[in-house]
């Protein structure tokens, strides 16, 4: 099994977002958008905890900074993908390609109220910067065009919020547009600087609009995040950070007005609102979305619906989460549904009134595909991150899980080859917080189970990592899945509905029956020997399938033990491990 660069506890591969070279000249072009996306991700990474700490409106759930970071991370990944697609060609991406990708990435990755509004702000900018027919602006945006983009951004964000409130990011975005327009015919850099300065001034005034901010002694968290976005834009265009940066008073709060401790801020917030936050992407026509807005507005508050062209991001706070999802089903096809209970979220945060608990010497963080496996890993002492079907966790989520483990040393198990670079970026973020992190490149949850089984927190860190890496490497992994469409595989052409048996990531068997295919896969995996078989079954797989496979192993492969777990809704019918 391949080891990470530098060995199990070595340095990770380079992060996927490398800083591109700065292009000066005061014009917003595709390379400048690329640099902007990288800079704003770095800036939000540094400011995330400060922004979380002042999050008291509309719900004091302490996650605005994290949500903005995860939203921008998705946007930055989309921009990088556009540039990667042009690496082999003779042309570079156009400005329209870069801004469209940034807006689309933010839309599909938007988290929370603040992230959803930021996605609409970026979409509004993209609508102006990608307007066809203006050849002068095909390669770049000058100052007046950037000012028009910021105005469209502010207007479209207001339109996306069911009940706009002053003193929020909407007020800050409008001030930014006002400042940009006041700059007149200046170049893009000067317009961006004017927008930033106006937004910063408006941010300081947000407590005058919202009493909850004034009582807590903080500025609006979403507005603070948007100022950070504009701060990065100025740096991307000029190579220099604006001199007027958001102050950072003692205690981590960011407020031009009198600061209050973070726990006081949370206590001052209104806690009588709906119990759930519901977010989903929605494939739907415009007319259906208009009806959806009316229905969701009647169900709850903090309603924000952003997007267009058939793809929307829906955010609402409700007491009846099921009704909010059902409304989406009536309007179109909801997917990537995420439901958060505010009470559970608040309980998961450390209580600032209590003395900080001691860090554990060592912890394990693992990505798991189902609730059943999450429970199994938790019983083994691991902190888990749920890998939702079709929505792999971002590096920010993994980094947050590493911090949540609250240990001096952490072993990270991604359990998916596609997550290796994401996990490496998360490990690097956590190392910046002084946490020692080792990434073991597990390719399947069954390899993670084997690694967790030999984990011993009492031995030296390097010895523990080597033992866990060795156990994972000695475990062959298989999977039984169902083909969604006709395609070429290493075992031939499969048709939609065929049962596929994978061994070590490659399709080895194409069958029609789940049990028969699993038997064949087990025989192939055990042909080279083995002592234990691990079967992880989706909840929809009948119990008799497990009985038949256990009997098959017992009669065909002597002295091989079988253990069966239920993985919950894990995305594939069966995972197989052979140690």
């Amino acid at each position: 099994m391949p080891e990470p660069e530098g060995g199990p506890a070595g340095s990770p591969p380079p992060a996927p977002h490398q800083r591109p070279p700065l292009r000066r000249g005061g014009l917003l072009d595709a390379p400048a958008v690329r640099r902007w996306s990288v800079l704003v991700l770095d800036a939000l990474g540094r400011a995330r905890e400060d922004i979380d700490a002042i999050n008291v409106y509309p719900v004091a759930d302490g996650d605005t900074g994290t949500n903005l970071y995860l939203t921008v991370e998705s946007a930055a990944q989309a921009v990088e993908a556009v540039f990667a697609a042009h690496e082999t060609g003779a042309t570079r991406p156009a400005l329209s390609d870069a801004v469209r990708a940034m807006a689309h990435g933010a839309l599909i990755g938007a988290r929370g109220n603040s992230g959803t509004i930021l996605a609409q702000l970026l979409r509004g900018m993209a609508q102006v910067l990608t307007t066809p027919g203006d050849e002068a602006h095909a390669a770049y945006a000058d100052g007046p065009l950037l000012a028009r983009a910021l105005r469209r951004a502010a207007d479209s964000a207001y339109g996306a919020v069911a009940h706009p409130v002053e003193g929020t990011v909407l007020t800050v975005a409008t001030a930014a547009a006002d400042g940009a327009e006041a700059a007149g015919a200046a170049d893009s850099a000067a317009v961006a600087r004017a927008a930033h300065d106006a937004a910063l001034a408006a941010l300081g005034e947000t407590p005058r609009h919202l009493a909850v901010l004034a009582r807590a002694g903080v500025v609006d968290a979403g507005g603070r995040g948007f100022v950070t976005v504009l701060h990065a834009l100025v740096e991307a265009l000029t190579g220099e950070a604006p001199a007027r940066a958001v102050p950072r008073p003692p205690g981590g709060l960011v407020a031009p007005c009198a600061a209050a401790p973070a726990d006081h801020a949370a206590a001052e917030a209104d806690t009588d609102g709906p119990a759930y936050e519901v977010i989903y992407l929605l494939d739907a026509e415009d007319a259906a979305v208009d009806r959806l807005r009316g229905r969701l507005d009647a169900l709850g508050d903090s309603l924000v619906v952003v997007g267009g062209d058939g793809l929307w991001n829906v955010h609402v706070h409700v007491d009846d989460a099921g009704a909010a999802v059902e409304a989406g089903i009536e309007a179109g096809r909801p997917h990537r549904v995420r439901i958060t209970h505010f009470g559970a979220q608040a309980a998961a945060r450390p209580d600032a009134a209590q003395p900080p608990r001691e860090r554990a010497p060592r912890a394990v963080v693992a990505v798991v595909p189902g609730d059943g496996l999450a429970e199994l890993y938790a019983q083994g002492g691991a902190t888990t991150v749920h890998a939702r079907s079709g929505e792999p966790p971002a590096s920010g989520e993994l980094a947050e899980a590493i911090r949540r483990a609250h240990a001096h040393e952490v072993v990270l198990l991604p359990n998916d080859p596609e997550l290796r670079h994401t996990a490496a970026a998360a490990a690097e973020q956590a190392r910046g917080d002084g946490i020692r992190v080792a990434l073991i490149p597990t390719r399947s949850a069954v390899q993670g189970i084997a690694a967790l089984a030999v984990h011993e927190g009492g031995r030296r860190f390097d010895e523990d990592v080597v033992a866990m890496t060795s156990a994972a490497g000695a475990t062959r992994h298989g999977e039984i899945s169902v083909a969604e469409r006709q395609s070429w595989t290493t075992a031939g052409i499969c048709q939609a509905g065929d049962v596929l048996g994978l061994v070590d990531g490659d399709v080895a068997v194409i069958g029609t029956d789940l049990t028969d295919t699993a038997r064949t896969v087990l025989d192939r995996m055990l042909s080279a020997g083995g002592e234990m078989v691990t079967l992880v079954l989706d909840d929809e797989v009948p119990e008799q399938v497990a009985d038949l496979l256990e009997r098959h192993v017992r009669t065909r492969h002597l002295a091989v033990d079988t253990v069966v777990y239920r993985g919950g809704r894990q995305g594939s019918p069966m995972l197989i491990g052979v140690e």
Side-chain angles (χ1 to χ4, degrees):
M1 170 177 162
E3 292 185 347
E5 288 83 344
S11 300
H17 303 304
Q18 301 295 337
R19 289 177 179 246
L22 174 66
R23 296 183 77 256
R24 298 180 182 274
L27 295 176
L28 181 64
D29 58 6
V33 171
R34 185 188 195 189
R35 183 167 177 82
W36 179 28
S37 70
V38 174
L39 288 171
V40 71
L41 185 62
D42 288 346
L44 285 172
R46 294 190 301 270
R48 180 187 60 80
E49 292 183 353
D50 284 347
I51 298 174
D52 283 346
I54 63 171
N55 174 200
V56 300
Y57 183 85
V59 177
D61 45 358
D63 63 357
T64 290
T66 299
N67 285 337
L68 287 170
Y69 178 87
L70 294 173
T71 301
V72 171
E73 182 177 47
S74 179
Q77 289 172 345
V79 174
E80 287 300 314
V82 166
F83 275 84
H86 282 74
E87 283 181 354
T88 57
T91 62
R92 73 180 187 190
L95 171 63
S96 59
D97 296 328
V99 296
R100 190 181 296 113
M102 190 174 185
H104 182 73
L107 175 67
I108 64 174
R111 304 295 181 94
N113 190 73
S114 54
T116 308
I117 293 175
L118 177 60
Q120 187 67 8
L121 288 164
L122 293 174
R123 177 178 170 80
M125 292 185 68
Q127 286 174 331
V128 172
L129 298 176
T130 60
T131 300
D134 191 346
E135 296 302 324
H137 296 129
Y140 65 88
D142 59 13
L145 187 65
L146 177 58
R148 291 203 299 274
L150 290 169
R151 175 60 66 192
R152 176 71 67 84
D155 290 347
S156 62
Y158 266 97
V161 178
H163 301 285
V165 174
E166 295 303 324
T168 64
V169 62
L170 300 177
T171 304
V172 175
T174 297
D178 292 342
E181 290 175 344
D187 64 17
S188 296
V191 168
R193 192 182 297 276
H196 168 268
D197 291 348
L200 183 59
L203 177 66
E205 295 297 315
T206 54
R208 301 184 186 276
H209 296 281
L210 275 176
V212 64
L213 301 180
R215 289 196 302 270
V218 298
V219 295
D220 179 65
R224 162 74 202 281
F226 188 59
V227 170
T228 302
V229 172
L230 294 175
H231 189 278
L233 177 59
V234 175
E235 187 175 356
L237 291 171
T238 67
E240 299 175 354
R244 295 181 62 198
V246 180
R248 299 183 64 181
L253 294 184
V254 184
C257 49
D263 55 327
H264 292 174
E268 291 289 341
D270 181 8
T271 57
D272 295 330
Y276 296 95
E277 176 185 61
V278 179
I279 304 175
Y280 50 80
L281 291 180
L282 179 69
D283 298 330
E285 299 298 327
D286 292 6
V289 172
D290 289 339
R291 293 191 296 271
L292 174 66
R293 281 193 174 99
R295 180 166 179 185
L296 292 179
D297 193 27
L299 286 174
D301 59 29
S302 295
L303 173 61
V304 185
V305 181
V306 304
D309 302 321
L311 178 63
W312 308 82
N313 191 306
V314 179
H315 170 280
V316 67
H317 294 172
V318 293
D319 283 319
D320 189 344
V325 177
E326 288 174 3
I329 294 173
E330 291 181 5
R333 187 181 74 88
H335 49 108
R336 296 196 184 186
V337 179
R338 186 181 299 106
I339 300 173
T340 303
H341 187 271
F342 288 124
Q345 191 177 43
R349 294 196 306 274
D351 185 354
Q354 300 297 324
R357 60 187 176 95
E358 287 291 326
R359 285 186 178 273
R362 190 174 307 156
V364 176
V365 173
V367 180
V368 294
D371 293 338
L373 277 176
E375 183 177 350
L376 175 65
Y377 272 80
Q379 290 173 358
T383 297
T384 60
V385 179
H386 189 194
R388 295 168 289 273
S389 180
E391 186 182 358
S395 66
E397 287 182 89
L398 298 185
E400 186 62 27
I402 293 172
R403 298 184 187 100
R404 192 170 70 247
H406 204 64
H408 293 287
E409 301 169 338
V410 172
V411 180
L412 180 58
L413 306 174
N415 293 339
D416 185 338
E418 299 298 324
L419 287 179
R420 182 173 177 183
H421 291 301
T422 301
E428 193 61 31
Q429 291 178 47
R431 291 185 187 111
D433 294 337
I435 305 171
R436 189 180 183 189
V437 183
L439 168 61
I440 298 178
T442 47
R443 301 170 64 85
S444 171
V446 291
Q447 288 188 324
I449 292 172
L452 189 61
V454 300
H455 164 61
E456 291 185 15
R459 59 186 166 199
R460 290 178 57 246
F461 185 57
D462 290 341
E463 292 178 355
D464 197 29
V465 171
V466 168
M468 294 176 73
T469 302
S470 178
T475 302
R476 300 192 71 190
H477 62 95
E479 179 180 349
I480 306 300
S481 65
V482 178
E484 296 182 356
R485 63 185 66 87
Q486 183 188 63
S487 61
W488 289 88
T489 75
T490 51
I493 301 176
C494 69
Q495 306 295 327
D498 282 349
V499 180
L500 306 180
L502 290 79
V503 177
D504 293 335
D506 294 323
V507 177
V509 181
I510 300 175
T512 57
D513 179 77
L514 187 146
T515 305
D516 289 343
T517 303
R519 286 194 188 103
T520 304
V521 169
L522 282 167
D523 290 340
R524 293 198 182 190
M525 294 178 71
L526 287 167
S527 63
E531 298 176 356
M532 176 178 286
V533 169
T534 300
L535 301 177
V536 182
L537 276 59
D538 186 275
D539 282 350
E540 293 188 348
V541 176
E543 193 65 40
Q544 59 265 33
V545 172
D547 295 337
L548 291 171
L549 295 177
E550 281 190 89
R551 189 178 308 121
H552 177 79
V553 172
R554 187 167 58 250
T555 57
R556 293 285 300 273
H557 304 278
L558 300 179
V560 176
D561 295 325
T562 302
V563 59
V564 179
Y565 300 110
R566 284 288 176 177
R569 299 300 299 272
Q570 61 188 26
S572 62
M574 189 183 308
L575 302 177
I576 302 172
V578 172
E579 300 177 45

